[in-house]
Amino acid sequence: MGEATHKILVVEDDRQIQSFIGYALEQDGFCSLSANSGHSAMSLLISEPIELLLLDLGLPDCDGMEIIKRVREWSDMPIIVVSARDQDREKAAALDAGADDYLTKPFSATELLARIRVAIRHLRRQSGEKPQAVYQVGELKIDMEKRLTYLRGEELHLTPMEYNLLALLFKNCGKVLTTQYIIREVWGVGYGSDTQALRALMAALRRKIEKNPAKPRYIVTEIGVGYRLVDE
């Protein structure tokens, strides 16, 4: 069950979908508020202690992308986009603007709640007094302080670039990271937008951590958008 202290704002102008999401959230123990326009959403975001935003991009009075950009000016709250727009470039644009995740309609309540739980775990990590030093997913573990990685208890020998890529994914475990965001964080702002080096680096890392690199169990590809480290 979720925790009622987590107040979630659902911004959706389709009443049926809004009711479906609201019911799913309340059944899982969350406290939900609803808005059917960008204006009403911003009013609630300013007046209520919202902790997570579920946002449809196709609002009657504005584009949801504007909401993402405005919220990111003053808050790091998790933003999950729920939209009928399924073009890869639109997903990437929303994530690059500051969204944490993207669900394409139609989606199941199970999938929605799983994504919300991932976002809330990130919220808890960010609000902790000390940055987390050791992360683990399945049999894959990383120690940020010692810059060491382990698979099934055995130390992995990664290159500095492979380590930096894996560390970035672990810090954002469960979140989809766009290719451009990864390139900027791993290679630096001035590197450009060439994705060939990232694909080569990802292939090398997968060969070291995946039992079957062709069917990755840890780092999954979000086609046309980027990569995500699976959060268990």
Side-chain angles (χ1 to χ4, degrees), residues 10-19 34-38 55-62 82 105:
V10 181
V11 185
E12 170 62 67
D13 65 330
D14 185 311
R15 295 289 186 184
Q16 189 172 356
I17 296 175
Q18 187 184 95
S19 297
S34 298
N36 56 17
S37 69
L55 176 67
D56 180 28
L57 295 180
L59 300 173
D61 59 342
C62 72
V82 287
K105 298 175 184 176

Side-chain angles (χ1 to χ4, degrees), residues 65 85-96 102 178 223-225:
M65 292 288 290
R85 301 179 189 177
D86 61 357
Q87 295 296 314
D88 293 339
R89 58 182 175 79
E90 292 182 324
K91 294 179 183 179
L95 292 164
D96 280 334
Y102 195 113
T178 66
I223 302 297
V225 180

Side-chain angles (χ1 to χ4, degrees), residues 118 121-122 125 132-144 148-153 156 166-175 209-210 216-220 228-232:
V118 168
R121 281 198 291 274
H122 282 291
R125 289 169 188 163
Q132 190 170 336
V134 179
Y135 298 80
Q136 183 161 351
V137 172
E139 296 177 307
L140 183 63
K141 183 169 74 171
I142 188 167
D143 187 324
M144 299 285 185
L148 296 175
T149 53
Y150 303 89
L151 182 63
R152 293 185 289 275
L156 282 173
L166 185 60
L168 179 66
L169 289 163
F170 260 107
K171 288 175 184 175
N172 296 277
C173 190
K175 292 174 59 176
I209 68 171
E210 302 285 3
R217 176 238 176 285
Y218 291 108
I219 303 173
V220 297
R228 175 168 57 89
L229 182 67
V230 174
D231 189 334
E232 296 183 321

Side-chain angles (χ1 to χ4, degrees), residues 10-166:
V10 181
V11 185
E12 170 62 67
D13 65 330
D14 185 311
R15 295 289 186 184
Q16 189 172 356
I17 296 175
Q18 187 184 95
S19 297
F20 161 71
I21 294 175
Y23 178 78
L25 292 176
E26 290 175 11
Q27 286 294 107
D28 210 51
F30 295 106
C31 175
S32 70
L33 297 175
S34 298
N36 56 17
S37 69
H39 177 75
S40 57
M42 290 308 302
S43 296
L44 286 168
L45 285 164
I46 291 168
S47 62
E48 296 284 342
I50 305 298
E51 294 179 78
L52 187 145
L53 176 61
L54 289 176
L55 176 67
D56 180 28
L57 295 180
L59 300 173
D61 59 342
C62 72
D63 191 305
M65 292 288 290
E66 291 303 314
I67 302 293
I68 296 173
K69 292 172 184 176
R70 290 175 65 183
V71 170
R72 282 293 171 255
E73 290 175 358
W74 54 271
S75 174
D76 291 325
M77 76 172 63
I79 300 175
I80 300 176
V81 170
V82 287
S83 178
R85 301 179 189 177
D86 61 357
Q87 295 296 314
D88 293 339
R89 58 182 175 79
E90 292 182 324
K91 294 179 183 179
L95 292 164
D96 280 334
D100 295 276
D101 206 347
Y102 195 113
L103 267 175
T104 303
K105 298 175 184 176
F107 51 83
S108 68
T110 301
E111 184 178 11
L112 174 66
L113 292 168
R115 302 289 185 98
I116 289 171
R117 284 191 283 270
V118 168
I120 286 173
R121 281 198 291 274
H122 282 291
L123 190 65
R124 287 172 179 158
R125 289 169 188 163
Q126 291 169 1
S127 62
E129 292 182 7
K130 288 174 58 180
Q132 190 170 336
V134 179
Y135 298 80
Q136 183 161 351
V137 172
E139 296 177 307
L140 183 63
K141 183 169 74 171
I142 188 167
D143 187 324
M144 299 285 185
E145 285 187 356
K146 297 177 181 177
R147 288 183 65 87
L148 296 175
T149 53
Y150 303 89
L151 182 63
R152 293 185 289 275
E154 298 290 328
E155 185 178 343
L156 282 173
H157 297 287
L158 303 181
T159 68
M161 292 295 281
E162 289 168 352
Y163 174 84
N164 291 341
L165 175 56
L166 185 60

